[in-house]
Amino acid sequence: MINNLQTTTTLSNGVKMPKFGLGVFKVEEGPELIHAIKFALKHGYRSIDTAAIYQNEEGVGQAIREGLQEAGISREELFVTSKVWNSDLGYESTLAAYETSLTKLGLDYLDLFLIHWPVEGKYKDAWRALETLYKEGKVKAIGVSNFQIHHLEDLMKDAEIKPMVNQVEYHPRLTQKEVQAFCQEHGIQLEAWSPLMQGQLLTQPVIQAIAEKYNKSTAQIILRWDLQNGVVTIPKSIKEHRIIENAAIFDFELSKADMEQLDGLNQNLRVGPDPDNFDF
């Protein structure tokens, strides 16, 4: 049963990852970012997701240090994710990018480090670097982001270690059932970015009707759908009431019929780039 913000999923290597966290995509450095993270930690969030390209790792690091102290929790209780950007993919450059991210964050290790996009001809060398970091104990888990099935198959042909996580765009308009089935088959945890389709789904009539039935917001219905589908989710918010509201999804369960209705909204629509047709 998924019953609170600290509920975890166990990755293939035994590491426990919170099923729910805070994303900080497009949140600029500054007081707003720091306040949002500290507020989230105070209210029980235990997972923070950032990336080199977000250009906010220093602020995230500051917020984590201050937030841990204020919330009275240890670094070990927090799960921190960052990602290596496309221009840094390669063996040595990925190792260097990891150290840069770690320095900016002011941390001794990352819980999860991901390859941000499957740039053809580059991600295999980057993966070898992630394997090195993992073997050296510098990161607790390694994975990928935006990888489709053929990317995963290609990567795993030469990989010593399978990815533990695949973070993809995932919401009721883009259910990625085939990718999820492949990941489940290979012990790879699927994680959702843009779970609310950057707000585009908040006024969708079917979701609104389900929300009324459960006396919940449309965002809460979608995020609950993520969790019941076995998908880790990291909605972005900088507003206090949204940070609290997004996480208030542990006191109800969607029926099988409602889950199927949400699944049925799929149109393979993306708000982000298509990994197969992206000018990297």
Side-chain angles (χ1 to χ4, degrees):
M1 177 66 181
I2 312 151
N3 55 13
N4 64 54
L5 254 177
Q6 278 89 52
T7 301
T8 57
T9 183
T10 303
L11 302 180
S12 59
N13 65 339
V15 164
K16 293 189 184 306
M17 177 181 188
K19 291 187 175 182
F20 195 91
L22 183 75
V24 294
F25 173 57
K26 283 187 176 170
V27 185
E28 291 180 9
E29 289 275 26
E32 209 172 36
L33 168 73
I34 292 166
H35 179 76
I37 291 172
K38 284 164 66 172
F39 188 79
L41 295 180
K42 184 176 133 189
H43 280 274
Y45 282 70
R46 293 295 177 264
S47 172
I48 307 293
D49 178 280
T50 186
I53 196 65
Y54 301 170
Q55 298 185 332
N56 59 16
E57 287 174 312
E58 287 175 349
V60 169
Q62 182 186 335
I64 286 171
R65 286 189 298 279
E66 293 175 10
L68 291 177
Q69 197 171 3
E70 288 174 22
I73 55 175
S74 66
R75 164 67 183 97
E76 290 68 38
E77 292 174 76
L78 193 61
F79 194 95
V80 183
T81 302
S82 196
K83 313 172 194 83
V84 56
W85 185 242
N86 307 337
S87 54
D88 288 322
L89 294 181
Y91 184 76
E92 294 297 341
S93 51
T94 295
L95 292 176
Y98 176 84
E99 295 301 336
T100 300
S101 284
L102 210 59
T103 301
K104 285 184 176 178
L105 287 159
L107 298 174
D108 297 327
Y109 67 92
L110 280 179
D111 296 276
L112 179 62
F113 196 44
L114 305 176
I115 293 175
H116 210 145
W117 287 93
V119 182
E120 203 173 335
K122 288 188 169 184
Y123 59 74
K124 286 194 178 184
D125 286 338
W127 187 252
R128 282 196 304 114
L130 264 61
E131 289 178 328
T132 298
L133 291 166
Y134 179 71
K135 288 177 196 165
E136 289 175 354
K138 291 183 176 179
V139 61
K140 303 281 185 190
I142 51 176
V144 294
S145 183
N146 302 301
F147 274 50
Q148 299 298 288
I149 292 170
H150 66 95
H151 299 125
L152 291 165
E153 287 174 332
D154 184 48
L155 182 73
M156 291 194 298
K157 269 193 297 203
D158 303 308
E160 278 183 64
I161 302 165
K162 274 196 298 196
M164 291 142 201
V165 172
N166 184 17
Q167 186 184 115
V168 298
E169 182 179 344
Y170 177 91
H171 44 69
R173 287 284 191 223
L174 183 69
T175 57
Q176 305 239 38
K177 291 291 183 191
E178 294 83 5
V179 174
Q180 185 174 15
F182 182 89
C183 287
Q184 283 174 335
E185 186 188 333
H186 293 275
I188 302 166
Q189 174 63 53
L190 201 70
E191 181 177 17
W193 65 258
S194 199
L196 306 177
M197 204 177 175
Q198 293 180 6
Q200 289 182 31
L201 287 174
L202 300 182
T203 54
Q204 205 287 329
V206 171
I207 305 173
Q208 281 182 322
I210 295 172
E212 282 170 27
K213 181 173 151 186
Y214 290 90
N215 197 25
K216 290 286 179 182
S217 70
T218 46
Q220 289 168 330
I221 295 299
I222 296 164
L223 297 171
R224 181 72 205 184
W225 171 81
D226 286 359
L227 296 185
Q228 286 183 219
N229 274 327
V231 176
V232 170
T233 189
I234 45 164
K236 181 200 96 174
S237 186
I238 50 173
K239 295 184 172 72
E240 287 188 7
H241 71 283
R242 286 267 182 263
I243 288 170
I244 292 173
E245 181 190 285
N246 285 346
I249 56 171
F250 301 99
D251 57 352
F252 76 106
E253 192 158 337
L254 293 166
S255 69
K256 187 168 181 285
D258 289 329
M259 288 291 290
E260 286 168 358
Q261 213 180 352
L262 290 164
D263 286 346
L265 294 173
N266 181 53
Q267 294 178 335
N268 295 321
L269 279 180
R270 297 178 181 274
V271 286
D274 181 342
D276 288 324
N277 300 294
F278 184 30
D279 182 11
F280 296 106

PDB file of all heavy atoms in Angstrom, residues 73-98:
ATOM      1  N   ILE A  73      16.594  16.301   9.779  1.00  0.00           N
ATOM      2  CA  ILE A  73      16.815  14.988   9.157  1.00  0.00           C
ATOM      3  C   ILE A  73      18.234  14.894   8.615  1.00  0.00           C
ATOM      4  O   ILE A  73      18.896  15.903   8.393  1.00  0.00           O
ATOM      5  CB  ILE A  73      15.785  14.706   8.032  1.00  0.00           C
ATOM      6  CG1 ILE A  73      15.790  15.835   6.987  1.00  0.00           C
ATOM      7  CG2 ILE A  73      14.389  14.500   8.591  1.00  0.00           C
ATOM      8  CD1 ILE A  73      14.894  15.595   5.782  1.00  0.00           C
ATOM      9  N   SER A  74      18.688  13.665   8.390  1.00  0.00           N
ATOM     10  CA  SER A  74      20.064  13.454   7.932  1.00  0.00           C
ATOM     11  C   SER A  74      20.106  13.371   6.406  1.00  0.00           C
ATOM     12  O   SER A  74      19.078  13.110   5.759  1.00  0.00           O
ATOM     13  CB  SER A  74      20.618  12.158   8.520  1.00  0.00           C
ATOM     14  OG  SER A  74      19.902  11.052   7.992  1.00  0.00           O
ATOM     15  N   ARG A  75      21.284  13.566   5.851  1.00  0.00           N
ATOM     16  CA  ARG A  75      21.475  13.452   4.388  1.00  0.00           C
ATOM     17  C   ARG A  75      21.033  12.071   3.901  1.00  0.00           C
ATOM     18  O   ARG A  75      20.474  11.940   2.805  1.00  0.00           O
ATOM     19  CB  ARG A  75      22.967  13.701   4.068  1.00  0.00           C
ATOM     20  CG  ARG A  75      23.425  13.253   2.659  1.00  0.00           C
ATOM     21  CD  ARG A  75      22.790  14.093   1.570  1.00  0.00           C
ATOM     22  NE  ARG A  75      23.171  13.638   0.243  1.00  0.00           N
ATOM     23  CZ  ARG A  75      22.436  12.820  -0.517  1.00  0.00           C
ATOM     24  NH1 ARG A  75      21.279  12.351  -0.083  1.00  0.00           N
ATOM     25  NH2 ARG A  75      22.850  12.474  -1.733  1.00  0.00           N
ATOM     26  N   GLU A  76      21.254  11.045   4.714  1.00  0.00           N
ATOM     27  CA  GLU A  76      20.930   9.671   4.310  1.00  0.00           C
ATOM     28  C   GLU A  76      19.427   9.460   4.124  1.00  0.00           C
ATOM     29  O   GLU A  76      19.008   8.518   3.464  1.00  0.00           O
ATOM     30  CB  GLU A  76      21.470   8.661   5.333  1.00  0.00           C
ATOM     31  CG  GLU A  76      22.994   8.530   5.358  1.00  0.00           C
ATOM     32  CD  GLU A  76      23.698   9.783   5.884  1.00  0.00           C
ATOM     33  OE1 GLU A  76      23.163  10.416   6.828  1.00  0.00           O
ATOM     34  OE2 GLU A  76      24.768  10.120   5.354  1.00  0.00           O
ATOM     35  N   GLU A  77      18.634  10.347   4.715  1.00  0.00           N
ATOM     36  CA  GLU A  77      17.174  10.220   4.592  1.00  0.00           C
ATOM     37  C   GLU A  77      16.645  10.864   3.308  1.00  0.00           C
ATOM     38  O   GLU A  77      15.460  10.759   3.008  1.00  0.00           O
ATOM     39  CB  GLU A  77      16.483  10.860   5.803  1.00  0.00           C
ATOM     40  CG  GLU A  77      16.720  10.126   7.110  1.00  0.00           C
ATOM     41  CD  GLU A  77      16.147  10.883   8.292  1.00  0.00           C
ATOM     42  OE1 GLU A  77      14.922  10.858   8.469  1.00  0.00           O
ATOM     43  OE2 GLU A  77      16.938  11.500   9.035  1.00  0.00           O
ATOM     44  N   LEU A  78      17.543  11.518   2.582  1.00  0.00           N
ATOM     45  CA  LEU A  78      17.131  12.249   1.385  1.00  0.00           C
ATOM     46  C   LEU A  78      17.651  11.541   0.126  1.00  0.00           C
ATOM     47  O   LEU A  78      18.742  10.987   0.122  1.00  0.00           O
ATOM     48  CB  LEU A  78      17.689  13.674   1.447  1.00  0.00           C
ATOM     49  CG  LEU A  78      17.127  14.691   0.447  1.00  0.00           C
ATOM     50  CD1 LEU A  78      15.628  14.873   0.641  1.00  0.00           C
ATOM     51  CD2 LEU A  78      17.843  16.023   0.621  1.00  0.00           C
ATOM     52  N   PHE A  79      16.854  11.590  -0.942  1.00  0.00           N
ATOM     53  CA  PHE A  79      17.215  10.975  -2.212  1.00  0.00           C
ATOM     54  C   PHE A  79      17.378  12.090  -3.235  1.00  0.00           C
ATOM     55  O   PHE A  79      16.410  12.765  -3.590  1.00  0.00           O
ATOM     56  CB  PHE A  79      16.116  10.006  -2.647  1.00  0.00           C
ATOM     57  CG  PHE A  79      16.503   9.077  -3.764  1.00  0.00           C
ATOM     58  CD1 PHE A  79      16.976   7.803  -3.492  1.00  0.00           C
ATOM     59  CD2 PHE A  79      16.386   9.471  -5.090  1.00  0.00           C
ATOM     60  CE1 PHE A  79      17.323   6.930  -4.527  1.00  0.00           C
ATOM     61  CE2 PHE A  79      16.732   8.614  -6.125  1.00  0.00           C
ATOM     62  CZ  PHE A  79      17.207   7.342  -5.841  1.00  0.00           C
ATOM     63  N   VAL A  80      18.610  12.297  -3.705  1.00  0.00           N
ATOM     64  CA  VAL A  80      18.907  13.416  -4.610  1.00  0.00           C
ATOM     65  C   VAL A  80      19.315  12.876  -5.986  1.00  0.00           C
ATOM     66  O   VAL A  80      20.220  12.042  -6.096  1.00  0.00           O
ATOM     67  CB  VAL A  80      20.028  14.319  -4.042  1.00  0.00           C
ATOM     68  CG1 VAL A  80      20.270  15.514  -4.974  1.00  0.00           C
ATOM     69  CG2 VAL A  80      19.681  14.799  -2.640  1.00  0.00           C
ATOM     70  N   THR A  81      18.646  13.397  -7.012  1.00  0.00           N
ATOM     71  CA  THR A  81      18.913  12.993  -8.399  1.00  0.00           C
ATOM     72  C   THR A  81      19.444  14.173  -9.196  1.00  0.00           C
ATOM     73  O   THR A  81      18.951  15.293  -9.070  1.00  0.00           O
ATOM     74  CB  THR A  81      17.607  12.520  -9.082  1.00  0.00           C
ATOM     75  OG1 THR A  81      17.047  11.440  -8.342  1.00  0.00           O
ATOM     76  CG2 THR A  81      17.857  12.085 -10.526  1.00  0.00           C
ATOM     77  N   SER A  82      20.467  13.922 -10.038  1.00  0.00           N
ATOM     78  CA  SER A  82      20.842  14.895 -11.059  1.00  0.00           C
ATOM     79  C   SER A  82      21.131  14.147 -12.360  1.00  0.00           C
ATOM     80  O   SER A  82      21.121  12.910 -12.387  1.00  0.00           O
ATOM     81  CB  SER A  82      22.030  15.760 -10.635  1.00  0.00           C
ATOM     82  OG  SER A  82      22.108  16.905 -11.499  1.00  0.00           O
ATOM     83  N   LYS A  83      21.387  14.926 -13.430  1.00  0.00           N
ATOM     84  CA  LYS A  83      21.522  14.317 -14.755  1.00  0.00           C
ATOM     85  C   LYS A  83      22.656  14.972 -15.534  1.00  0.00           C
ATOM     86  O   LYS A  83      22.879  16.173 -15.390  1.00  0.00           O
ATOM     87  CB  LYS A  83      20.206  14.474 -15.553  1.00  0.00           C
ATOM     88  CG  LYS A  83      18.962  14.098 -14.767  1.00  0.00           C
ATOM     89  CD  LYS A  83      17.674  14.434 -15.496  1.00  0.00           C
ATOM     90  CE  LYS A  83      16.484  14.371 -14.559  1.00  0.00           C
ATOM     91  NZ  LYS A  83      16.268  15.575 -13.776  1.00  0.00           N
ATOM     92  N   VAL A  84      23.323  14.164 -16.348  1.00  0.00           N
ATOM     93  CA  VAL A  84      24.402  14.684 -17.190  1.00  0.00           C
ATOM     94  C   VAL A  84      23.805  15.162 -18.507  1.00  0.00           C
ATOM     95  O   VAL A  84      22.988  14.479 -19.124  1.00  0.00           O
ATOM     96  CB  VAL A  84      25.517  13.630 -17.412  1.00  0.00           C
ATOM     97  CG1 VAL A  84      24.983  12.330 -17.995  1.00  0.00           C
ATOM     98  CG2 VAL A  84      26.620  14.190 -18.308  1.00  0.00           C
ATOM     99  N   TRP A  85      24.204  16.373 -18.923  1.00  0.00           N
ATOM    100  CA  TRP A  85      23.628  16.973 -20.130  1.00  0.00           C
ATOM    101  C   TRP A  85      24.305  16.455 -21.398  1.00  0.00           C
ATOM    102  O   TRP A  85      25.425  15.948 -21.380  1.00  0.00           O
ATOM    103  CB  TRP A  85      23.682  18.504 -20.055  1.00  0.00           C
ATOM    104  CG  TRP A  85      22.987  19.150 -21.231  1.00  0.00           C
ATOM    105  CD1 TRP A  85      23.538  19.962 -22.172  1.00  0.00           C
ATOM    106  CD2 TRP A  85      21.614  18.989 -21.605  1.00  0.00           C
ATOM    107  NE1 TRP A  85      22.582  20.325 -23.105  1.00  0.00           N
ATOM    108  CE2 TRP A  85      21.397  19.740 -22.785  1.00  0.00           C
ATOM    109  CE3 TRP A  85      20.537  18.276 -21.057  1.00  0.00           C
ATOM    110  CZ2 TRP A  85      20.161  19.800 -23.438  1.00  0.00           C
ATOM    111  CZ3 TRP A  85      19.302  18.334 -21.699  1.00  0.00           C
ATOM    112  CH2 TRP A  85      19.132  19.095 -22.873  1.00  0.00           C
ATOM    113  N   ASN A  86      23.619  16.640 -22.517  1.00  0.00           N
ATOM    114  CA  ASN A  86      24.035  16.091 -23.819  1.00  0.00           C
ATOM    115  C   ASN A  86      25.461  16.486 -24.222  1.00  0.00           C
ATOM    116  O   ASN A  86      26.216  15.670 -24.744  1.00  0.00           O
ATOM    117  CB  ASN A  86      23.071  16.555 -24.913  1.00  0.00           C
ATOM    118  CG  ASN A  86      21.623  16.241 -24.562  1.00  0.00           C
ATOM    119  OD1 ASN A  86      21.363  15.355 -23.762  1.00  0.00           O
ATOM    120  ND2 ASN A  86      20.696  16.972 -25.144  1.00  0.00           N
ATOM    121  N   SER A  87      25.824  17.740 -23.976  1.00  0.00           N
ATOM    122  CA  SER A  87      27.151  18.215 -24.394  1.00  0.00           C
ATOM    123  C   SER A  87      28.278  17.588 -23.571  1.00  0.00           C
ATOM    124  O   SER A  87      29.442  17.663 -23.956  1.00  0.00           O
ATOM    125  CB  SER A  87      27.228  19.744 -24.280  1.00  0.00           C
ATOM    126  OG  SER A  87      26.873  20.149 -22.972  1.00  0.00           O
ATOM    127  N   ASP A  88      27.937  16.955 -22.450  1.00  0.00           N
ATOM    128  CA  ASP A  88      28.962  16.333 -21.588  1.00  0.00           C
ATOM    129  C   ASP A  88      29.009  14.817 -21.734  1.00  0.00           C
ATOM    130  O   ASP A  88      29.740  14.150 -21.001  1.00  0.00           O
ATOM    131  CB  ASP A  88      28.694  16.688 -20.115  1.00  0.00           C
ATOM    132  CG  ASP A  88      29.008  18.142 -19.813  1.00  0.00           C
ATOM    133  OD1 ASP A  88      30.004  18.655 -20.364  1.00  0.00           O
ATOM    134  OD2 ASP A  88      28.256  18.769 -19.048  1.00  0.00           O
ATOM    135  N   LEU A  89      28.219  14.275 -22.665  1.00  0.00           N
ATOM    136  CA  LEU A  89      28.208  12.814 -22.818  1.00  0.00           C
ATOM    137  C   LEU A  89      29.523  12.338 -23.443  1.00  0.00           C
ATOM    138  O   LEU A  89      30.015  12.918 -24.394  1.00  0.00           O
ATOM    139  CB  LEU A  89      27.021  12.370 -23.677  1.00  0.00           C
ATOM    140  CG  LEU A  89      25.628  12.613 -23.081  1.00  0.00           C
ATOM    141  CD1 LEU A  89      24.548  12.099 -24.016  1.00  0.00           C
ATOM    142  CD2 LEU A  89      25.483  11.979 -21.707  1.00  0.00           C
ATOM    143  N   GLY A  90      30.061  11.268 -22.893  1.00  0.00           N
ATOM    144  CA  GLY A  90      31.377  10.751 -23.245  1.00  0.00           C
ATOM    145  C   GLY A  90      31.973  10.216 -21.959  1.00  0.00           C
ATOM    146  O   GLY A  90      31.489  10.558 -20.881  1.00  0.00           O
ATOM    147  N   TYR A  91      32.996   9.398 -22.027  1.00  0.00           N
ATOM    148  CA  TYR A  91      33.492   8.772 -20.794  1.00  0.00           C
ATOM    149  C   TYR A  91      34.101   9.801 -19.834  1.00  0.00           C
ATOM    150  O   TYR A  91      33.585  10.045 -18.740  1.00  0.00           O
ATOM    151  CB  TYR A  91      34.496   7.658 -21.099  1.00  0.00           C
ATOM    152  CG  TYR A  91      34.937   6.931 -19.840  1.00  0.00           C
ATOM    153  CD1 TYR A  91      34.089   6.009 -19.234  1.00  0.00           C
ATOM    154  CD2 TYR A  91      36.174   7.196 -19.248  1.00  0.00           C
ATOM    155  CE1 TYR A  91      34.463   5.354 -18.065  1.00  0.00           C
ATOM    156  CE2 TYR A  91      36.553   6.552 -18.092  1.00  0.00           C
ATOM    157  CZ  TYR A  91      35.699   5.632 -17.498  1.00  0.00           C
ATOM    158  OH  TYR A  91      36.068   5.011 -16.332  1.00  0.00           O
ATOM    159  N   GLU A  92      35.176  10.438 -20.252  1.00  0.00           N
ATOM    160  CA  GLU A  92      35.858  11.397 -19.358  1.00  0.00           C
ATOM    161  C   GLU A  92      34.977  12.606 -19.049  1.00  0.00           C
ATOM    162  O   GLU A  92      34.944  13.107 -17.919  1.00  0.00           O
ATOM    163  CB  GLU A  92      37.184  11.870 -19.987  1.00  0.00           C
ATOM    164  CG  GLU A  92      38.239  10.775 -20.128  1.00  0.00           C
ATOM    165  CD  GLU A  92      38.703  10.194 -18.801  1.00  0.00           C
ATOM    166  OE1 GLU A  92      38.497  10.846 -17.753  1.00  0.00           O
ATOM    167  OE2 GLU A  92      39.266   9.073 -18.814  1.00  0.00           O
ATOM    168  N   SER A  93      34.250  13.081 -20.071  1.00  0.00           N
ATOM    169  CA  SER A  93      33.433  14.289 -19.874  1.00  0.00           C
ATOM    170  C   SER A  93      32.261  14.032 -18.929  1.00  0.00           C
ATOM    171  O   SER A  93      31.850  14.917 -18.168  1.00  0.00           O
ATOM    172  CB  SER A  93      32.932  14.824 -21.222  1.00  0.00           C
ATOM    173  OG  SER A  93      32.330  13.810 -21.981  1.00  0.00           O
ATOM    174  N   THR A  94      31.743  12.808 -18.931  1.00  0.00           N
ATOM    175  CA  THR A  94      30.657  12.467 -17.999  1.00  0.00           C
ATOM    176  C   THR A  94      31.193  12.377 -16.569  1.00  0.00           C
ATOM    177  O   THR A  94      30.543  12.837 -15.620  1.00  0.00           O
ATOM    178  CB  THR A  94      29.962  11.152 -18.411  1.00  0.00           C
ATOM    179  OG1 THR A  94      29.320  11.348 -19.673  1.00  0.00           O
ATOM    180  CG2 THR A  94      28.921  10.718 -17.395  1.00  0.00           C
ATOM    181  N   LEU A  95      32.369  11.795 -16.409  1.00  0.00           N
ATOM    182  CA  LEU A  95      32.995  11.749 -15.077  1.00  0.00           C
ATOM    183  C   LEU A  95      33.214  13.172 -14.547  1.00  0.00           C
ATOM    184  O   LEU A  95      32.922  13.466 -13.378  1.00  0.00           O
ATOM    185  CB  LEU A  95      34.342  11.009 -15.127  1.00  0.00           C
ATOM    186  CG  LEU A  95      34.301   9.501 -15.412  1.00  0.00           C
ATOM    187  CD1 LEU A  95      35.721   8.953 -15.511  1.00  0.00           C
ATOM    188  CD2 LEU A  95      33.529   8.752 -14.335  1.00  0.00           C
ATOM    189  N   ALA A  96      33.679  14.047 -15.427  1.00  0.00           N
ATOM    190  CA  ALA A  96      33.916  15.443 -15.035  1.00  0.00           C
ATOM    191  C   ALA A  96      32.597  16.142 -14.711  1.00  0.00           C
ATOM    192  O   ALA A  96      32.505  16.925 -13.750  1.00  0.00           O
ATOM    193  CB  ALA A  96      34.648  16.178 -16.151  1.00  0.00           C
ATOM    194  N   ALA A  97      31.556  15.864 -15.506  1.00  0.00           N
ATOM    195  CA  ALA A  97      30.243  16.483 -15.280  1.00  0.00           C
ATOM    196  C   ALA A  97      29.666  16.063 -13.933  1.00  0.00           C
ATOM    197  O   ALA A  97      29.028  16.866 -13.241  1.00  0.00           O
ATOM    198  CB  ALA A  97      29.281  16.092 -16.403  1.00  0.00           C
ATOM    199  N   TYR A  98      29.912  14.810 -13.564  1.00  0.00           N
ATOM    200  CA  TYR A  98      29.434  14.332 -12.258  1.00  0.00           C
ATOM    201  C   TYR A  98      30.091  15.138 -11.134  1.00  0.00           C
ATOM    202  O   TYR A  98      29.413  15.594 -10.204  1.00  0.00           O
ATOM    203  CB  TYR A  98      29.738  12.841 -12.076  1.00  0.00           C
ATOM    204  CG  TYR A  98      29.344  12.334 -10.705  1.00  0.00           C
ATOM    205  CD1 TYR A  98      28.029  11.947 -10.450  1.00  0.00           C
ATOM    206  CD2 TYR A  98      30.264  12.269  -9.668  1.00  0.00           C
ATOM    207  CE1 TYR A  98      27.642  11.513  -9.195  1.00  0.00           C
ATOM    208  CE2 TYR A  98      29.886  11.835  -8.406  1.00  0.00           C
ATOM    209  CZ  TYR A  98      28.576  11.454  -8.174  1.00  0.00           C
ATOM    210  OH  TYR A  98      28.204  11.037  -6.920  1.00  0.00           O
TER     211      TYR A  98
END
